[in-house]
Amino acid sequence: MFIDLSTAEIGAQRVEIQVRDISEKLSVTKSPAYADVDVQERVTEEFTVRAEFNRSMIEEGYRAGEPEISEPTVQVTGAKNVIDQIEFVVASVNSNSPVDETVQREATVSVLDANLNKLDVLVEPEIVNVTIPVERIEKTVDISLVQAGSVQENVTINSVTSEVDEITLFGPQEVLDKIESVEVPLDISTIEGGTELTVPIELPEGVLGADPEEIVVVVDAEQDAERTLEDVEVSARGLQENEQILFVSPEEGATNLVIRGEQDVVNALEEEDIAVFIDVSQLDAGEHEVELQIEGIEMLSGN
């Protein structure tokens, strides 16, 4: 059974249903005997293809760029009234696992109406290649060395420098936006001299990684030198003209100084560079215990 539309015109019409290849010995009754058809003009139009993907498939700390399609436009052929219903021409890309690198997929082109119903049309080409660039979300920030612990008593640290001034962090954009620098704690309590330390980066909360993951810190330090100056005279300041002073202890009015500090400073020190004295300006007549005061340099102790 068939209908012959060879002489049909555009539009709605009723056409007789015909029968062929039936034996003459048989009689055929058609019910219904006619078909109502709507003949439409067949047209071909060009449409732009839009790549479609679920952004939740992108791994945390990464972002997707603008998709690229091998055939950005396609030819769609169908009845004119169907072609007129076309709202979306899409190539959908899916992934069963989180994506952290550029995606390249073959995708079937779907033609949809405004209600996302698939339309019965021919598409050429039907398959396109879709590339979705995926990149890590990064931010480069300064590092700041922060002292942790206390320097050993007999050690002088001249400088502490890092081989790098910046590191690159990666993670969610909203986390990185709040970070301007990263503090790197440096434990100086174990430093006994010049050295290089490998210090790991402590990631701020929410940050997924850093490049580099650790930094090399160069420490310029040295053991303090020690030198003893014996019998350094102690002078009295603030003594009135009608007063005199007698040292009870030390009897000779002299003390020993143990000097500790940088080797060059200690070696260059002369006794005349130092003044050891007591201040008696507020004392009455009598015996007193008075603290020795020292002028000249800072890194010394006196006995």
Side-chain angles (χ1 to χ4, degrees), residues 192-264:
E192 298 179 348
T195 186
E196 288 188 358
L197 302 174
T198 300
V199 184
I201 299 297
E202 296 183 4
L203 297 178
E205 184 176 357
V207 174
L208 301 179
D211 183 20
E213 296 179 343
E214 55 188 21
I215 62 173
V216 175
V217 176
V218 179
V219 180
D220 179 11
E222 58 186 354
Q223 293 277 347
D224 289 346
E226 182 175 293
R227 178 182 172 190
T228 300
L229 297 180
E230 298 181 348
D231 297 327
V232 178
E233 181 182 355
V234 179
S235 63
R237 296 184 181 180
L239 194 65
Q240 302 298 319
E241 292 184 0
N242 59 344
E243 295 175 334
Q244 64 177 4
I245 190 167
L246 175 65
F247 286 96
V248 176
S249 174
E251 293 185 7
E252 303 300 326
T255 188
N256 297 330
L257 297 180
V258 178
I259 303 167
R260 298 185 184 92
E262 297 180 24
Q263 184 77 51
D264 294 343

Side-chain angles (χ1 to χ4, degrees), residues 164-205:
V164 296
D165 298 323
E166 300 175 327
I167 60 172
T168 300
L169 305 177
F170 74 93
Q173 189 67 60
E174 63 272 16
V175 173
L176 299 183
D177 286 343
K178 300 176 182 178
I179 301 174
E180 297 301 328
S181 64
V182 172
E183 292 186 348
V184 180
L186 178 66
D187 183 8
I188 63 172
S189 63
T190 60
I191 294 176
E192 298 179 348
T195 186
E196 288 188 358
L197 302 174
T198 300
V199 184
I201 299 297
E202 296 183 4
L203 297 178
E205 184 176 357

Side-chain angles (χ1 to χ4, degrees), residues 54-68:
N54 189 341
R55 291 190 177 271
S56 64
M57 77 181 193
I58 305 301
E59 181 75 80
E60 184 181 19
Y62 292 78
R63 62 183 162 211
E66 191 66 29
E68 299 176 1

Side-chain angles (χ1 to χ4, degrees), residues 8-219:
E9 297 179 352
I10 300 297
Q13 52 206 287
R14 177 166 289 188
V15 183
E16 182 183 2
I17 299 175
Q18 302 183 41
V19 179
R20 67 183 176 190
D21 299 331
I22 298 296
S23 173
E24 294 179 355
K25 297 179 180 181
L26 299 175
S27 64
V28 177
T29 301
K30 298 175 290 185
S31 180
Y34 292 88
D36 293 321
V37 297
D38 186 6
V39 178
Q40 291 289 325
E41 178 185 1
R42 177 172 172 164
V43 297
T44 299
E45 293 188 14
E46 185 175 82
F47 290 87
T48 299
V49 182
R50 178 170 59 87
E52 189 176 73
F53 66 97
N54 189 341
R55 291 190 177 271
S56 64
M57 77 181 193
I58 305 301
E59 181 75 80
E60 184 181 19
Y62 292 78
R63 62 183 162 211
E66 191 66 29
E68 299 176 1
I69 304 176
S70 60
E71 302 287 343
T73 61
V74 294
Q75 302 293 321
V76 181
T77 301
K80 186 176 187 307
N81 66 331
V82 176
I83 296 295
D84 290 342
Q85 297 176 47
I86 296 175
E87 289 290 337
F88 308 104
V89 179
V90 298
S92 298
V93 175
N94 298 301
S95 176
N96 296 324
S97 58
V99 173
D100 60 3
E101 59 184 6
T102 294
V103 177
Q104 291 183 321
R105 296 276 196 281
E106 284 190 344
T108 300
V109 178
S110 298
V111 180
L112 310 173
D113 64 13
N115 296 318
L116 302 183
N117 297 311
K118 189 172 182 179
L119 298 175
D120 185 15
V121 293
L122 298 176
V123 181
E124 179 61 35
E126 186 180 5
I127 304 294
V128 296
N129 293 313
V130 179
T131 300
I132 303 174
V134 176
E135 62 181 4
R136 195 169 66 174
I137 303 174
E138 299 180 345
K139 183 177 183 180
T140 300
V141 298
D142 294 334
I143 61 172
S144 174
L145 295 176
V146 179
Q147 175 180 320
S150 300
V151 65
Q152 296 184 23
E153 184 177 349
N154 63 334
V155 173
T156 296
I157 296 179
N158 301 317
S159 65
V160 177
T161 56
S162 169
E163 290 189 347
V164 296
D165 298 323
E166 300 175 327
I167 60 172
T168 300
L169 305 177
F170 74 93
Q173 189 67 60
E174 63 272 16
V175 173
L176 299 183
D177 286 343
K178 300 176 182 178
I179 301 174
E180 297 301 328
S181 64
V182 172
E183 292 186 348
V184 180
L186 178 66
D187 183 8
I188 63 172
S189 63
T190 60
I191 294 176
E192 298 179 348
T195 186
E196 288 188 358
L197 302 174
T198 300
V199 184
I201 299 297
E202 296 183 4
L203 297 178
E205 184 176 357
V207 174
L208 301 179
D211 183 20
E213 296 179 343
E214 55 188 21
I215 62 173
V216 175
V217 176
V218 179
V219 180

